[in-house]
Amino acid sequence: LRTSPRAGLIWQEAAATTLKALYGRAHRAPNMYESRYTDGLALVANPALAGERIDTFEIVADQRVGRELGLRASIYEWTMHDQITLGTDPASGLSQYRSGGTVRARGIELSADRTWASGARLRGSVSRQHVDDATGVRLPNSPHWLAKLAATAPLPFAGLRLGWELRCESSRRTLAGAELGGHAVSNLNLVTDALGEGIELSLGVHNLFDRRY
């Protein structure tokens, strides 16, 4: 029997201030490849493989400043139990998907969202996180700092809308144990929906400054 409870407590402290406490649980059953596939050479099936479970908890504070600016702060923690990882079958010595240990992520995020009467919009967020396994070791490919800035604005012709995005990550550890430096990637998008009803055309340039990371 699997249960996936959800609970939320919302307090409207003032007309422009909202506080939330949110809890949830979700499950993921192993897919057919993870539990049933075998080739007898490199990978052996594991029909008894159990699923994963994740518990999430978050406290959120939303603040409106006038009609155009929204601010948000959140503190979160999620814990994944029985993570499915590629291990070794003790009987055959071949690779096998097995139920692993626990992974825990904790962090804080601050964000802002500003809109203008012209239709322009500016959004930004920054978060600090720690993602560790059951022994307290930092997981690979889990940067401590994440940041995003996005701006969109309508152009005065052809129903065009211009969008720009900047995504930043701090350094992270690889599977081999090396440390990769932080990076920032910028994307540019041009969108129009004025060509006809139900038709949207977009042009995007990703990694605008050809950043290697």
Side-chain angles (χ1 to χ4, degrees), residues 8-101:
L9 181 62
I10 301 175
W11 179 36
Q12 191 78 34
E13 194 273 337
T17 305
T18 305
L19 303 177
K20 305 174 185 178
L22 309 172
Y23 168 78
R25 171 177 291 178
H27 302 272
R28 186 184 78 85
N31 58 47
M32 291 297 292
Y33 180 79
E34 292 168 332
S35 62
R36 301 290 179 175
Y37 179 77
T38 180
D39 59 12
L41 298 174
L43 185 67
V44 62
N46 185 2
L49 184 62
E52 301 170 332
R53 184 183 90 245
I54 184 169
D55 293 296
T56 63
F57 182 71
E58 185 175 12
I59 296 176
V60 183
D62 286 318
Q63 178 68 44
R64 296 296 305 179
V65 181
R67 298 182 60 182
E68 297 181 335
L69 178 61
L71 304 175
R72 169 172 288 189
S74 64
I75 300 174
Y76 62 88
E77 177 178 293
W78 59 257
T79 306
M80 179 181 288
H81 305 274
D82 301 322
Q83 183 189 28
I84 296 176
T85 58
L86 189 62
T88 302
D89 175 32
S92 64
L94 299 178
S95 296
Q96 183 185 58
Y97 284 97
R98 306 177 66 83
S99 293

Side-chain angles (χ1 to χ4, degrees), residues 119-136:
R121 185 180 183 186
L122 180 65
R123 294 172 292 162
S125 65
V126 60
S127 60
R128 170 74 173 177
Q129 65 173 9
H130 291 273
V131 185
D132 308 315
D133 63 18
T135 64

